[in-house]
Amino acid sequence: MLGIYSSWKLAYADFLFQKDTEESVRSAIRLVPDGWEYYMRLAQFDQEHAEELLATALRLNRYDAQADIELGLRFEAREDFAGAEKLLLDAFAVDNTYLPRWTLANYYLRRDNMPEFWAWARRAAEMPSNDIGALFELCWRVSPDPEKVAGAILNHKPELIRQYISFLLVKDQLPAIATVALRLVRSGDQDTDRPLIFSVINRMITANDAATANTLWHSLIQQHWVIADNSVPNNAEFAREPLPVGFDWSLPEYTGLHSWPGSSGLEVEFTGSQPEDCTVAEQVVNLSPGNYTFAYAYHTSGIPAATGVRWQIVDVKSKTVLADSADLSSAVLAHSVLSFMVPPEASLIRLRLSYRRAVGTTRISGTLVVQTTKIIAFP
């Protein structure tokens, strides 16, 4: 009979606790006075007696790190810094997870104890949560130097490195990302981390940082995270599905315009309802200043001459069109070349297949197949 009553008492106390009002929690304590979690919750309701309630919770459960933390923060608020530090260190002693480490890093920052701040920030980074951005923000407040933050808290864990890269992207710290991104390529997982590295490369291309973009791209190739060709452009015969990165083909989709890599090369269908001015395909290539020839083979069906389908060579930085091909139109396989010069101030070049409706013509309806492409440097 006593066992039945004890079980009922525990169950009813839990029911009262779940109601989550100050009075229901007090009633639960009256039924089960050694329920440490009840005192934790009551401390949030009864701020006047919170310290006493938290101390009771700790007495009932010495391994309640949350009570250590909350009581320690209250000690800090009333300037009992020695007591606060002891309680926060006690929390870490019984709970080695992220929260006590993060709390201690914050505490030492508020106390202006920089050696201890960096030590606990590093310990927090050793066990990152799913979103550790707040820790990076904390470090950034202390030192908005990405190299110093990386040297102080980064380790070999991919989950930490990828979050730091995302943080630096938000802060627009592109020059600092390169070294960190290379660490991720060496230690990360290609299925998980390749999209992030692609986004970094694309940001570098947008910023016209050819050296960094090229270094990251070749690191992906060396680590076998991507399949790429030694020829320029990459994927020159459209034999593979393009990757979502600037150093492979981009094939934009529009109403009335469809492009895909097929058995014969790049196959493009114009239905007549496509935009009057649009990109069909493009790829960024890294070229040294000098003279080049772009060779390409293609054939068309139903596309008249001089109707606006052409290749363009565009400087990524200035967006200047360096060269335009003749309009593409040939019922039989045609081999054509386009000569161009990369000026001294340029290095990233956008190879673009575009359509712009020619004046006096209607929008085209037909097909285009590009079999091969190749860029050759003049001696």
Side-chain angles (χ1 to χ4, degrees):
M1 194 70 176
L2 182 60
I4 294 173
Y5 174 71
S6 296
S7 297
W8 172 87
K9 187 169 63 170
L10 289 171
Y12 189 58
D14 187 61
F15 167 75
L16 292 170
F17 179 68
Q18 295 300 328
K19 290 180 70 174
D20 201 33
T21 66
E22 181 175 353
E23 185 52 42
S24 68
V25 174
R26 288 187 186 278
S27 297
I29 289 174
R30 284 192 289 269
L31 280 171
V32 182
D34 59 351
W36 62 270
E37 67 270 37
Y38 300 165
Y39 294 92
M40 286 285 297
R41 184 60 181 140
L42 185 58
Q44 295 176 347
F45 288 118
D46 186 355
Q47 293 293 309
E48 185 178 352
H49 302 96
E51 284 193 17
E52 178 184 345
L53 292 165
L54 290 168
T56 301
L58 272 174
R59 178 175 55 80
L60 293 170
N61 179 11
R62 184 61 200 88
Y63 297 96
D64 183 6
Q66 188 64 48
D68 276 318
I69 290 172
E70 293 190 21
L71 192 56
L73 294 177
R74 288 179 177 276
F75 275 36
E76 181 188 4
R78 59 179 172 83
E79 299 188 356
D80 181 354
F81 300 120
E85 182 179 30
K86 179 182 182 305
L87 283 163
L88 296 180
L89 290 171
D90 285 347
F92 176 70
V94 298
D95 180 2
N96 286 171
T97 60
Y98 179 77
L99 181 60
R101 301 167 189 236
W102 157 255
T103 306
L104 279 158
N106 277 271
Y107 171 77
Y108 286 117
L109 175 59
R110 291 191 295 271
R111 301 301 307 136
D112 199 29
N113 186 337
M114 290 301 102
E116 286 298 315
F117 162 74
W118 285 113
W120 284 101
R122 183 165 56 252
R123 288 183 180 126
E126 290 170 357
M127 188 171 287
S129 65
N130 291 332
D131 183 2
I132 204 172
L135 178 63
F136 295 136
E137 286 287 358
L138 198 66
C139 295
W140 198 259
R141 281 171 49 194
V142 175
S143 174
D145 179 345
E147 298 295 339
K148 180 174 181 178
V149 174
I153 70 171
L154 277 199
N155 53 45
H156 65 282
K157 294 182 178 180
E159 58 268 29
L160 178 65
I161 298 172
R162 71 174 66 103
Q163 289 193 59
Y164 190 53
I165 291 172
S166 297
F167 173 80
L168 292 177
L169 285 171
V170 171
K171 293 293 185 183
D172 201 29
Q173 294 290 318
L174 296 185
I177 292 177
T179 302
V180 184
L182 287 172
R183 289 173 67 171
L184 185 60
V185 175
R186 289 192 295 268
S187 64
D189 173 75
Q190 62 173 306
D191 293 331
T192 301
D193 298 317
R194 188 169 54 187
L196 178 59
I197 300 300
F198 284 166
S199 70
V200 172
I201 292 173
N202 289 336
R203 285 283 292 272
M204 296 297 178
I205 289 173
T206 300
N208 199 46
D209 187 345
T212 303
N214 199 47
T215 297
L216 284 175
W217 175 243
H218 280 90
S219 73
L220 294 180
I221 297 171
Q222 291 163 6
Q223 292 294 119
H224 307 292
W225 281 25
V226 297
I227 298 173
D229 306 317
N230 291 324
S231 58
V232 182
N234 175 42
N235 201 1
E237 297 179 355
F238 306 91
R240 299 182 301 274
E241 193 69 32
L243 298 167
V245 63
F247 291 135
D248 204 342
W249 295 106
S250 170
L251 306 176
E253 283 285 335
Y254 307 93
T255 300
L257 171 61
H258 307 287
S259 307
W260 64 94
S263 57
S264 301
L266 176 63
E267 301 181 22
V268 185
E269 179 185 22
F270 300 90
T271 67
S273 60
Q274 70 274 357
E276 294 189 348
D277 188 351
C278 57
T279 296
V280 179
E282 67 178 11
Q283 181 182 146
V284 173
V285 295
N286 187 19
L287 298 175
S288 302
N291 296 308
Y292 295 86
T293 293
F294 172 53
Y296 55 98
Y298 74 97
H299 62 85
T300 63
S301 175
I303 298 179
T307 50
V309 181
R310 63 179 58 185
W311 284 102
Q312 294 181 313
I313 309 297
V314 183
D315 177 7
V316 167
K317 182 179 181 180
S318 67
K319 298 182 174 58
T320 302
V321 177
L322 303 177
D324 275 297
S325 74
D327 287 1
L328 276 60
S329 176
S330 176
V332 298
L333 185 64
H335 295 269
S336 301
V337 295
L338 173 63
S339 297
F340 65 96
M341 182 189 74
V342 176
E345 66 276 8
S347 55
L348 291 175
I349 301 299
R350 199 176 300 277
L351 178 59
R352 175 182 294 159
L353 178 61
S354 66
Y355 168 67
R356 175 178 291 179
R357 183 183 64 82
V359 176
T361 68
T362 60
R363 282 182 282 193
I364 60 175
S365 177
T367 59
L368 161 69
V369 176
V370 180
Q371 283 195 352
T372 60
T373 59
K374 189 174 185 179
I375 293 178
I376 305 166
F378 282 140

